[in-house]
Amino acid sequence: MNFSWVSTYWPLLAAGAVQTVLLLVISVVFGFILAIGLALAQINGSRGLKWLARGYCTCLRGTPLLIQLWLLYYGVGSLLPLVPGLRSSFLWPVLREGFFFAAVSFTLNYAAYEAEVLRGALLAVPKGELEAARAFGMSPAQVLRRIWLPRAIRIALPTITGEVVLQLKATPLAFTVTVMDLYAVAYKVRQDTLLVYEPLLVVTVFYVFLTLLVTRAFKIVETRVPVRR
Amino acid sequence: MSSALSLLELLAPYPPGWGGVLLAGALSTLAISLGAYGIGILIGLAGALGKLAGGRPLVIALDLYTTAVRAIPELILIVGLYYAGTDGINRVLLAAGLPPIEINGFVAAVAVLGIVQGAYMTEVLRGAILAVPVGQIEAAKAFGMRPSLRFRRIVLPALIPNALPGLANLWMCVTKDSALIAVVGYQELALATRLAAGNTKHYFLFFFAAALLYLAITLVSNVLFGALEGHFRRGQPKNA
């Protein structure tokens, strides 16, 4: 075991860690917002909307994330330059990056899984609480914002923790579209130094550490908002 | 852009088209998944029984295995096990004074995914065994059944309906995780698609076709597992 390379590669490792965390945070935050819409559409939407939301979830949960990522990066990415004017617009430097495609596809994928979790949780909120809220004269939006959603999120919290960890474990896929995330750094170290196991080990320790951090953070939130069983 | 006809020609199953390559990739994906799933079930059964009935060192070792596999990203596990496994076997062979062997990509892929599946399978089956009513096992004991007979006649049939939802989930996981094998360079559906797309420059078309193939696998599996669960739950009360 030879870890002398860490001293020269640590700035790259740190930058890679930032990219990994950034991908995780972006996909979880935006994916969650999208998931709320998808879950509500499946519960309350009109027939067309319901069908659309369900189809979206089935398609994104039924295909590998790697294929979705490549479909976006290679497929849509090869069609983007055909859009007139896009190439010269200020958006182009962002749209050219692998990071953008990775963030978008992770977000869309996370939303599909999270929507299923939220759908179950929204349906699990006791009817009486929603009726009480309506009896207080709250508008549907207020009921959703004050009662329905917070209760559903609390119910789903343990499952959400699991989903976030799964999302973290999916982020190394970004390396296949040229994102310099933590795993990509390990790959580069392997190419430079011909060490196979040591870089993977260091990166693995970081992922496990991040997993512990995520589970601890959610545990704290769970104890802050206790539920009576 | 090309016309609709040429897009169809690109997907044709004979050589100028790449449909055959994609279908062969899909078959390879199915073969890898089936193999890994089978190995996973074997490891899982052994692991679950070991966790429930084994001694303390065995339980600790199994806990370490399931926790590690479930905490480390699949991609890193697959790459790590792929290289570590092939390298390790060759080192053992070298120490024994034998020439190194080239390990078949298919075997390596199945083994690696099987080890990953085994960890999840252990937990699913452990839960399913724990959910078998104690009274049934006690009744079997009272009849004087040996542990192996008891497992075969009572525990196994009773745990299958409990385990099936989890097993169905894991099957979906392994069909999708098998795409990661593309990263280590064994040709299955994902890598075949990348090859076809790279050669023809029709990236969107081919990745879309691959997504549809994966989706088809998932949807057909859904139906099959639904039927299986219906079969194994026959005779059980509907709202149990």
Side-chain angles (χ1 to χ4, degrees):
Chain A
M1 287 279 144
N2 173 9
F3 287 98
S4 55
W5 53 272
V6 174
S7 56
T8 40
Y9 282 98
W10 73 264
L12 258 181
L13 279 170
V18 169
Q19 295 270 301
T20 294
V21 172
L22 220 60
L23 274 174
L24 177 68
V25 170
I26 290 175
S27 59
V28 166
V29 169
F30 290 102
F32 195 80
I33 295 168
L34 194 59
I36 294 173
L38 281 167
L40 285 175
Q42 284 191 45
I43 294 172
N44 267 348
S46 62
R47 181 178 269 219
L49 214 58
K50 214 176 252 181
W51 191 84
L52 215 68
R54 209 163 283 166
Y56 175 90
C57 288
T58 308
C59 285
L60 270 91
R61 296 187 330 138
T63 53
L65 178 55
L66 187 67
I67 292 291
Q68 292 164 23
L69 180 62
W70 286 355
L71 179 64
L72 264 185
Y73 182 72
Y74 294 111
V76 176
S78 68
L79 299 180
L80 273 185
L82 302 176
V83 178
L86 195 61
R87 212 163 187 156
S88 50
S89 81
F90 69 100
L91 283 171
W92 188 245
V94 180
L95 292 177
R96 214 177 40 192
E97 289 288 326
F99 185 86
F100 169 76
F101 291 99
V104 170
S105 76
F106 289 177
T107 302
L108 295 178
N109 187 265
Y110 181 78
Y113 282 93
E114 197 61 67
E116 289 294 305
V117 173
L118 268 181
R119 186 174 63 93
L122 284 170
L123 289 174
V125 173
K127 275 238 151 39
E129 295 183 19
L130 299 181
E131 280 163 6
R134 270 182 228 124
F136 264 102
M138 290 188 197
S139 67
Q142 275 175 330
V143 174
L144 179 69
R145 191 161 46 88
R146 289 194 190 157
I147 314 289
W148 206 11
L149 202 56
R151 280 288 276 140
I153 291 174
R154 180 60 192 85
I155 291 169
L157 213 50
T159 323
I160 293 173
T161 316
E163 291 290 326
V164 173
V165 170
L166 285 181
Q167 187 63 27
L168 169 68
K169 296 201 304 170
T171 54
L173 289 183
F175 113 97
T176 61
V177 294
T178 71
V179 176
M180 265 316 250
D181 76 327
L182 207 57
Y183 179 74
V185 173
Y187 188 79
K188 185 182 159 46
V189 172
R190 193 180 100 203
Q191 284 187 324
D192 291 358
T193 63
L194 299 177
L195 294 168
V196 179
Y197 308 112
E198 291 87 341
L200 277 181
L201 253 163
V202 169
V203 170
T204 302
V205 168
F206 183 82
Y207 280 107
V208 173
F209 171 73
L210 255 184
T211 305
L212 289 178
L213 214 67
V214 168
T215 44
R216 281 300 282 278
F218 274 94
K219 254 276 132 43
I220 290 172
V221 178
E222 270 182 50
T223 47
R224 275 284 175 81
V225 197
V227 279
R228 221 170 73 187
R229 285 176 210 285
Chain B
M1 291 301 286
S2 32
S3 67
L5 188 69
S6 80
L7 288 185
L8 275 181
E9 276 171 0
L10 278 170
L11 286 173
Y14 43 84
W18 288 83
V21 176
L22 251 61
L23 284 178
L27 280 181
S28 161
T29 285
L30 275 177
I32 290 176
S33 306
L34 277 173
Y37 197 63
I39 291 179
I41 286 182
L42 291 181
I43 296 179
L45 262 181
L49 291 176
K51 268 196 173 183
L52 289 173
R56 216 174 134 68
L58 184 65
V59 172
I60 291 174
L62 284 170
D63 267 338
L64 198 69
Y65 162 60
T66 53
T67 314
V69 168
R70 294 187 304 157
I72 299 170
E74 273 80 10
L75 185 68
I76 292 186
L77 268 177
I78 286 168
V79 171
L81 285 175
Y82 199 89
Y83 291 117
T86 48
D87 188 53
I89 288 173
N90 275 331
R91 275 192 200 178
V92 169
L93 285 175
L94 198 70
L98 293 164
I101 49 163
E102 188 69 41
I103 287 162
N104 185 323
F106 178 79
V107 174
V110 167
V112 166
L113 282 174
I115 291 172
V116 175
Q117 281 276 303
Y120 290 91
M121 216 61 106
T122 301
E123 294 300 320
V124 166
L125 292 173
R126 190 176 65 95
I129 292 175
L130 283 177
V132 175
V134 186
Q136 296 187 5
I137 296 170
E138 280 170 352
K141 276 183 193 159
F143 266 101
M145 288 187 189
R146 282 172 288 113
S148 58
L149 188 67
R150 202 160 68 216
F151 182 75
R152 210 180 62 222
R153 283 211 191 141
I154 310 296
V155 178
L156 200 60
L159 79 81
I160 289 177
N162 295 334
L164 261 178
L167 291 181
N169 257 343
L170 284 176
W171 168 251
M172 307 296 169
C173 281
V174 75
T175 52
K176 287 184 279 167
D177 276 354
S178 68
L180 300 182
I181 292 295
V183 175
V184 287
Y186 183 71
Q187 181 140 343
E188 38 63 71
L189 184 48
L191 197 64
T193 310
R194 210 172 147 167
L195 201 72
N199 269 309
T200 58
K201 304 289 169 216
H202 284 276
Y203 290 101
F204 194 85
L205 175 74
F206 281 110
F207 283 120
F208 196 73
L212 286 183
L213 278 172
Y214 277 111
L215 193 60
I217 293 175
T218 303
L219 293 179
V220 170
S221 311
N222 260 337
V223 173
L224 286 179
F225 271 104
L228 260 174
E229 196 168 341
H231 173 74
F232 278 106
R233 280 200 190 279
R234 70 194 185 283
Q236 283 192 2
K238 274 280 182 295
N239 54 354

